[in-house]
Amino acid sequence: MRLATLLAFLRPALPLILGLSLGCSLSLLRVSWIQSDGEDTCMDTGVNNGLFAGKMQQDTVPGGRSSQNDEDFKPRIVPYYRDPNKPYKKVLRTRYIQTELGFHERLFVAVLTSKATMNTLAVAVNKTVAHHFPHLLYFTGLRSAKVPHGMALVSHGDERPVWLMYETMRYIHQHFGGDYDWFYVMQDDTYAQAEQIKALVTHLSINQDVYLGRAEEFIGGDEQARYCHGGFGYLVSRSLLLKLHQHLDSCRNEILSVRPDEWLGRCIIDFLGISCISQHQGQHYRSYELAKNADLEKEEGEDFQVALTVHPVSEGTLMYRLHKHFSRIQLDRAYQEIQQLQMQIRNLTSLTPAREGGLTWPIGINAPFVPKSRFEVISWDYFTEQHLFSCPDGSPKCELAGASKADVSDIIEAALQHLNSRYQPQLRFYKQQLLNGYRRFDPTRGMEYMLDLLLEAVTQKGHSHVLAKRVSLVRPLSKVEIIPMPYVTEATRVQLVLPLTVQEVDFVSNFLDTFAMNTLDTHDNALLTLLFIYQPYDAQRVSQLDVFAGVKAMVGELEKRYAEVKIPWISVKTEVPSQVKLMDIVSKKHPVDTLFFLASVWTEVNTEFLNRCRMNTISNWQVFFPMHFQEFNPVLMYHGEQASSSSTDFLRDGHFDRHAFAEACFYNSDYMAARTKLAADILDRDEVLESMEVFDVFLRYSGLHLFRAVEPGLVQKYMLRSCNPRLSEELYHRCVLSNLEGLSSRSHLAMALFEQEQANST
């Protein structure tokens, strides 16, 4: 009886008891297996060899060959060891971590051309792919008398095709072999989809011997051996190029061939045992052979649509047509991908907590910026088809021209196209007039527009009606790209040029003291040249009374204090101290490779800015025009009290003067080139120079990049500048605006006016 009662009581818990018993039994069995005498290879390897030293399964590549250089991909620690018998030598660290770690650029492109096709096919190649390939070089046997503009050309002096290939491969190895991972060689009668070639190399592993292109059989040769057809281009890896270089001379002497691509393929096969392949690591090199007199509109096959290269291209116009055709294909693919992504975003939004309310317009673009205070509100600029009502010079109304006019025309056309595509075939819209236009730049998403359009809507039956419609558009920010820039160093000598008028003599002592403390005491690689600007009356009395005698005495004291330093000066007599005329005098007295820093007497020179001047100024590429930080009038800011030295008040106590162009960094060679074009344009009309500054010369007569940026390293104390009325109206207006905006902030000006009114009322 008791047993039956006990079983009835335990019956509900019986499954739990059986589960616990089975689990404990399995646990005990597992412990016995782990503590067995068998070897645990993974555990032993981890203990003996340390972290990441376990056995790795050997990867294989197509063809059954094992991957090369597996050891290069294993992390390892190289211990530091210094031989005590050798003297200690300070390690020179590189400026960039990329250089120290041995990183390489991804792709170098070589284009083989000739004297006959240099100005036709090579120009067409340059216009279609040069802006996609940042590192592109043209190779030819003989060069024509006139090299096309914008093409970097290397001439080998011999038109023989095999010799050209030999010299090209040798030149690439000698000058670029240690800087790039992949080398792409093509002919000037080849059309290449640059973006697709770049995408191909990003999916291929480095440190492998790769010879990739359109594989062709040798005539009468081994069926297994292949060479890459030169007309369709081919890729050569860096490791293959390094191994091939030592055999190039032997190939030139031992291999006879008429075709340069066959010669190169035979050289690689005979000495390295590597044949051309058309696919590698799942990536296919697709090419298309274009028939003679082919009609591109009828080329709709899959092989043509997916081709990376097309050959042969007989003329430049055909190259441009191919580029237009493939650009349209890529554009259509991009629009399809955008629509698919927008559909996926819309579908996934229903699963989020915000539901449909979380969607932003346009779908996939960042939401508009939400200001946290009234000081962060982004204002809208009003415009019409003829005028802009937010002008750069501060005027209330200016004519719409240049890039702004093209921008307005483009968005109006885009709005009409979108409306017609949405309402066709029921309605067709025609623009009558732009009533109102608004635009603003949102740094989180791009340029936003609102347009009030007066439209004529025409139905299918021909009935028309005029209506006003508001449309909103967004020009989103595109993908951020790193612009390739030439390499510069901080070791360049800077030549300071200081123009000095009679009104500025009292401020020279502070400039010279700062220059001596920040450059001469620190042995910075900087020199100074003074430019004394005499009025005609002062120049006649210079023997009796020299207005710059005190400055010359201060210069003499500096030269005595620093025996190795010489500070030359140049005397100029003029009533109108034009910045361009003064630079003409200085430019002729210095070498063409001089880096000028055109300063003002209120500039406080320091090493920080001089280094930025060196780094931001690139010969034959870029000039630098910094915007200095101008301190406000201390009388209005502090009412006679001591100014705060807190760093948090730095930007509050002044502003960056965008109207001043007195400071500039540029190379003498760049200035001379721009000045030559200016001289040819003005035809010795010196009055034109009085209306221009050095900034205007570079802006109008050079193709260089003009880098205009705020410079916190240049800080100037407040001083009321004297504006010369003999200069042009524009330059005089700039000077007056600079003085007015440099008085104080709006809040302090309002307080000063309020206090003045209070004083007058009492």
Side-chain angles (χ1 to χ4, degrees):
M1 185 66 181
R2 292 180 179 178
L3 181 60
T5 304
L6 181 62
L7 291 176
F9 178 76
L10 295 177
R11 184 174 298 170
L14 188 59
L16 178 61
I17 296 173
L18 292 176
L20 291 174
S21 302
L22 182 60
C24 294
S25 302
L26 293 176
S27 301
L28 293 174
L29 289 174
R30 183 175 179 275
V31 171
S32 63
W33 291 340
I34 292 177
Q35 294 178 352
S36 62
D37 295 333
E39 283 189 341
D40 190 344
T41 307
C42 181
M43 295 293 292
D44 292 343
T45 306
V47 173
N48 295 333
N49 296 339
L51 191 62
F52 301 115
K55 292 183 178 179
M56 299 177 63
Q57 185 178 358
Q58 189 175 16
D59 297 333
T60 58
V61 297
R65 297 173 60 185
S66 62
S67 62
Q68 303 175 1
N69 301 330
D70 278 348
E71 295 295 332
D72 293 342
F73 299 97
K74 293 181 180 179
R76 59 187 183 274
I77 298 176
V78 180
Y80 173 75
Y81 172 75
R82 183 171 68 89
D83 191 351
N85 299 324
K86 294 183 178 179
Y88 174 73
K89 183 180 180 181
K90 184 179 179 180
V91 178
L92 180 63
R93 302 297 299 272
T94 58
R95 176 173 177 81
Y96 300 104
I97 190 174
Q98 178 178 352
T99 306
E100 185 166 338
L101 295 180
F103 289 173
H104 302 121
E105 297 288 342
R106 175 63 66 175
L107 181 64
F108 174 84
V109 180
V111 181
L112 304 179
T113 183
S114 63
K115 181 179 180 180
T117 60
M118 185 183 304
N119 291 283
T120 54
L121 289 176
V123 172
V125 171
N126 192 63
K127 291 184 177 180
T128 54
V129 303
H131 54 288
H132 295 285
F133 291 136
H135 310 284
L136 186 143
L137 199 58
Y138 294 84
F139 295 89
T140 181
L142 299 175
R143 59 190 303 165
S144 58
K146 184 178 180 181
V147 178
H149 179 69
M151 293 173 55
L153 187 69
V154 176
S155 176
H156 295 309
D158 197 325
E159 283 285 352
R160 289 177 295 175
V162 174
W163 178 267
L164 176 61
M165 177 62 69
Y166 162 76
E167 290 290 343
T168 298
M169 299 305 294
R170 197 166 66 90
Y171 186 93
I172 292 175
H173 174 271
Q174 181 179 357
H175 293 85
F176 308 104
D179 299 331
Y180 297 89
D181 288 328
W182 295 95
F183 301 89
Y184 184 64
V185 183
M186 58 180 289
Q187 299 175 180
D188 59 2
D189 61 347
T190 304
Y191 173 75
Q193 294 199 64
E195 293 297 329
Q196 303 300 319
I197 299 294
K198 290 164 61 177
L200 174 66
V201 299
T202 56
H203 291 83
L204 298 177
S205 299
I206 60 175
N207 291 340
Q208 295 188 8
D209 299 336
V210 178
Y211 181 35
L212 182 65
R214 176 163 175 162
E216 298 283 349
E217 295 183 4
F218 290 98
I219 299 177
D222 187 3
E223 295 182 358
Q224 302 298 326
R226 298 286 191 274
Y227 73 95
C228 290
H229 195 290
F232 300 96
Y234 46 88
L235 277 170
V236 176
S237 65
R238 176 175 174 268
S239 60
L240 179 63
L241 179 66
L242 297 179
K243 296 178 181 178
L244 177 65
H245 171 68
Q246 56 186 340
H247 303 293
L248 285 176
D249 292 335
S250 300
C251 294
R252 181 192 59 180
N253 299 327
E254 299 177 9
I255 300 177
L256 298 178
S257 180
V258 179
R259 292 173 53 93
D261 50 1
E262 288 188 4
W263 174 85
L264 180 63
R266 176 59 64 188
C267 179
I268 296 175
I269 292 173
D270 290 351
F271 289 91
L272 301 179
I274 298 174
S275 180
C276 177
I277 55 177
S278 297
Q279 60 176 346
H280 181 65
Q281 295 179 345
Q283 302 298 316
H284 296 264
Y285 190 91
R286 296 182 173 90
S287 57
Y288 186 81
E289 185 172 357
L290 194 64
K292 189 176 182 180
N293 300 325
D295 187 1
L296 298 183
E297 301 298 331
K298 297 181 180 179
E299 297 285 350
E300 299 179 353
E302 182 67 20
D303 294 341
F304 180 71
Q305 304 295 333
V306 300
L308 298 178
T309 58
V310 178
H311 173 79
V313 182
S314 57
E315 56 184 1
T317 55
L318 181 58
M319 186 83 70
Y320 301 134
R321 291 170 57 197
L322 282 168
H323 186 64
K324 179 181 178 181
H325 177 79
F326 282 103
S327 297
R328 186 184 299 113
I329 293 175
Q330 295 298 325
L331 190 61
D332 293 340
R333 290 176 182 173
Y335 282 136
Q336 292 177 3
E337 292 179 3
I338 290 174
Q339 292 178 358
Q340 293 175 359
L341 291 173
Q342 288 179 339
M343 187 178 300
Q344 294 175 7
I345 293 173
R346 187 184 297 275
N347 295 335
L348 292 174
T349 305
S350 60
L351 305 178
T352 61
R355 301 286 180 177
E356 294 293 334
L359 278 176
T360 60
W361 180 87
I363 299 176
I365 304 298
N366 294 333
F369 172 73
V370 179
K372 297 180 181 179
S373 66
R374 62 188 179 91
F375 300 102
E376 298 179 355
V377 175
I378 304 175
S379 61
W380 291 85
D381 297 333
Y382 179 75
F383 63 89
T384 62
E385 291 186 77
Q386 293 80 25
H387 296 92
L388 182 66
F389 293 84
S390 298
C391 305
D393 58 355
S395 58
K397 180 180 178 180
C398 56
E399 185 179 357
L400 193 66
S404 295
K405 188 175 183 64
D407 178 55
V408 171
S409 302
D410 186 36
I411 61 173
I412 292 176
E413 183 180 355
L416 286 176
Q417 290 180 357
H418 181 75
L419 289 173
N420 288 323
S421 63
R422 183 174 182 179
Y423 292 100
Q424 277 185 349
Q426 289 81 11
L427 292 175
R428 179 75 179 178
F429 292 96
Y430 298 93
K431 181 182 74 72
Q432 297 290 330
Q433 182 184 356
L434 173 64
L435 300 177
N436 302 293
Y438 308 89
R439 68 180 180 182
R440 69 174 184 178
F441 178 73
D442 189 335
T444 62
R445 53 194 265 136
M447 187 69 77
E448 298 179 343
Y449 305 89
M450 283 195 302
L451 305 178
D452 293 331
L453 296 171
L454 187 64
L455 303 171
E456 180 185 3
V458 181
T459 63
Q460 289 179 307
K461 296 182 179 182
H463 301 291
S464 63
H465 178 69
V466 177
L467 73 160
K469 191 172 184 65
R470 168 166 287 191
V471 295
S472 298
L473 302 94
V474 175
R475 192 190 297 274
L477 294 173
S478 59
K479 183 178 66 174
V480 178
E481 297 182 0
I482 299 177
I483 301 177
M485 299 289 286
Y487 179 76
V488 293
T489 66
E490 296 180 352
T492 308
R493 172 176 292 178
V494 180
Q495 178 66 59
L496 280 78
V497 179
L498 178 63
L500 194 61
T501 62
V502 178
Q503 294 80 7
E504 300 168 345
V505 170
D506 297 336
F507 310 102
V508 181
S509 59
N510 183 52
F511 176 88
L512 294 178
D513 291 341
T514 306
F515 174 76
M517 179 177 60
N518 294 335
T519 60
L520 301 182
D521 290 342
T522 59
H523 301 284
D524 199 327
N525 195 9
L527 301 177
L528 174 63
T529 297
L530 296 176
L531 202 60
F532 297 140
I533 304 173
Y534 287 89
Q535 294 288 336
Y537 176 74
D538 295 330
Q540 295 175 359
R541 302 170 56 245
V542 68
S543 58
Q544 294 84 16
L545 178 62
D546 189 355
V547 293
F548 294 105
V551 181
K552 295 177 181 178
M554 287 186 283
V555 171
E557 291 296 329
L558 278 181
E559 291 180 345
K560 290 180 181 179
R561 191 192 315 172
Y562 304 94
E564 71 282 0
V565 175
K566 296 296 180 182
I567 303 179
W569 66 70
I570 304 173
S571 299
V572 180
K573 181 181 72 172
T574 179
E575 292 184 356
V576 184
S578 169
Q579 196 181 52
V580 179
K581 288 183 177 180
L582 298 178
M583 273 309 307
D584 288 346
I585 299 173
V586 177
S587 176
K588 295 176 183 179
K589 297 182 179 296
H590 290 84
V592 294
D593 59 345
T594 303
L595 172 58
F596 284 125
F597 169 39
L598 188 59
S600 66
V601 71
W602 300 281
T603 303
E604 296 184 0
V605 182
N606 55 69
T607 305
E608 178 185 0
F609 168 73
L610 290 179
N611 287 335
R612 273 201 286 270
C613 178
R614 296 180 179 104
M615 299 301 293
N616 292 329
T617 310
I618 306 173
S619 179
N620 200 28
W621 185 270
Q622 179 173 283
V623 293
F624 180 39
F625 287 86
M627 286 187 284
H628 65 257
F629 186 81
Q630 178 67 54
E631 293 185 354
F632 287 140
N633 190 341
V635 176
L636 294 175
M637 289 292 297
Y638 309 110
H639 301 282
E641 300 177 359
Q642 182 67 25
S644 173
S645 60
S646 175
S647 60
T648 58
D649 297 330
F650 176 75
L651 295 180
R652 191 186 67 184
D653 298 344
H655 74 117
F656 289 101
D657 192 353
R658 60 188 179 93
H659 299 291
F661 294 87
E663 291 91 1
C665 294
F666 53 89
Y667 277 92
N668 193 16
S669 57
D670 296 334
Y671 176 79
M672 295 172 64
R675 186 64 179 86
T676 303
K677 294 181 180 179
L678 171 62
D681 187 34
I682 65 176
L683 299 177
D684 297 333
R685 290 179 296 166
D686 291 343
E687 65 274 6
V688 179
L689 300 179
E690 299 176 1
S691 63
M692 300 180 66
E693 292 183 320
V694 174
F695 177 81
D696 302 314
V697 175
F698 282 109
L699 181 64
R700 301 177 189 177
Y701 298 98
S702 76
L704 306 178
H705 297 272
L706 268 69
F707 185 31
R708 177 78 166 152
V710 296
E711 178 51 62
L714 283 181
V715 181
Q716 295 190 9
K717 300 293 183 181
Y718 171 77
M719 184 55 60
L720 186 65
R721 274 72 167 172
S722 59
C723 300
N724 194 337
R726 293 180 177 271
L727 295 176
S728 66
E729 182 179 355
E730 181 180 358
L731 297 182
Y732 182 78
H733 183 61
R734 284 184 193 172
C735 180
V736 172
L737 284 178
S738 177
N739 280 333
L740 293 177
E741 293 186 3
L743 285 175
S744 185
S745 62
R746 292 186 177 183
S747 60
H748 286 84
L749 289 175
M751 183 63 65
L753 290 175
F754 176 75
E755 293 176 354
Q756 184 178 3
E757 291 179 358
Q758 291 292 327
N760 294 335
S761 63
T762 57

